[in-house]
Amino acid sequence: MWNKLQPYRSSIMLLSALLIGGITGIVWPNIASSLKPIGQVFLNLLFMIIVPLVAVSVTSSIARMTDLKKLGTILITLLLVCIVMAVVPAASIVGLALVFDPAQGVVLDLHQQVQTGSGNMDFVKLFTTQDFSGLLSKSNILPLIIMSVITGIAIGQSGKDGEKVSAMLDSLNTVIMKIVSILMVAAPIGLGAYFASTMASQDPELLRTFARAIGVFFVTAIIYLSLGSTLYAWLGGGTKGVTGFWKNAVAPAVTALGTSSSLASLPVNIRAANKMGLKTDIADICLPLLVNLNKGGAAMTTALKIVFIYSILGLDFNADVFALTLLISVLSAFIISGVPGGAFLGEIFIVTTLGLPTEVIPILVIIGAVTDAPATVINVVHDLNATQIIERISAMKATKPKPGL
């Protein structure tokens, strides 16, 4: 029995710690309040590693990807398909969550004034800083990601010197990931203590809002998996593509649900692609890349987290916030989901980019942990859909007559 639950071990431990913390905060608020320093120390440790983690992991990943520039059309098409397949589920769950407000009027009382601003975001400050030192702050994650992408491209285009720098970054990335894994050992204690102190002064009704938020996710996920997958399969191969997809998508979906890992599902996905009759040369290139890039389920989870937090904080979810939610969801799907310990990086990314209080981080973690398995199912089965679409687009471009012929 425990072997079957092994893939969910970390999530079970984390959820158990947060549950204990929540109960402690409600039943013994005085004791819970005294636990806040423990949680704050853990969060501060994460904040201390966030800048080098993002800078090194993103830069090294992009530096390696530029070796694939010879793939040209396939790589560009793959990136565009991944963007669309991240935006669609993110926008869908935002719409559903705004209609069926999961907070239902319950407001998180942080005993502090949350600044909502004038409603117009300064996108210059959001995407850039005035000097290099500004990139060293966790409050400027978006500018850091942008500069890391540019740096990675430059390294990939710098020949042998770039290869030396890339190898050094890979080694440094290994060390940083080891630091993250060490910090994660304390995650249940740190986040449990922090959540206990947060719940110490809250209405117990707040706990019920999690069930509503997660219910919204599962409803959206079922609709998106059924209708979205069918649409994508039709775009990739017409009626035949739809039939082939649904005949072979069950095995990857079950594997994803059982392992909660896109990487572990890759061999099953490759086998399914072969049974669907997809070209081997296309599938062998696309599927390994899609494991890290095509994360529609992760984008959906990120979008739900933002809508939910804005709702329980009583903040205005305006057009600017909606646009930023889609951007953060796409970036989470592309970059953060490929980083070990990326779930925590995602929560910090949301909080620092939107200027939200750190007290909401455990709340975001709960949503992420519960929705992880179904989100992985979406990621995995839509890798097959993406491969179908990429193959069809590549075939259309190959048969397109050249000018002058």
Side-chain angles (χ1 to χ4, degrees), residues 75 117 142 156 171 194 200 261 265 280 309 360:
L75 183 57
L142 275 178
S171 298
Y194 202 76
S261 169
S265 305
T280 303
I309 288 302
V360 304

Side-chain angles (χ1 to χ4, degrees), residues 240-252 255 266-280 283-284 287 384 387-388 391:
K240 183 179 179 181
V242 173
T243 303
F245 169 79
W246 284 114
K247 280 184 178 180
N248 297 282
V250 175
T255 304
L266 180 59
V268 183
N269 241 6
I270 291 176
R271 185 168 179 266
N274 291 333
K275 287 185 175 181
M276 290 167 61
L278 297 177
K279 292 183 178 179
T280 303
D284 288 349
L287 287 174
L384 289 174
T387 304
Q388 286 179 299
E391 179 184 293

Side-chain angles (χ1 to χ4, degrees), residues 207-229:
L207 293 176
R208 298 184 183 180
T209 64
F210 292 115
R212 287 194 286 264
I214 293 167
V216 169
F217 180 89
F218 276 90
V219 170
T220 307
I222 292 172
I223 295 173
Y224 182 56
L225 265 176
S226 56
L227 299 182
S229 299

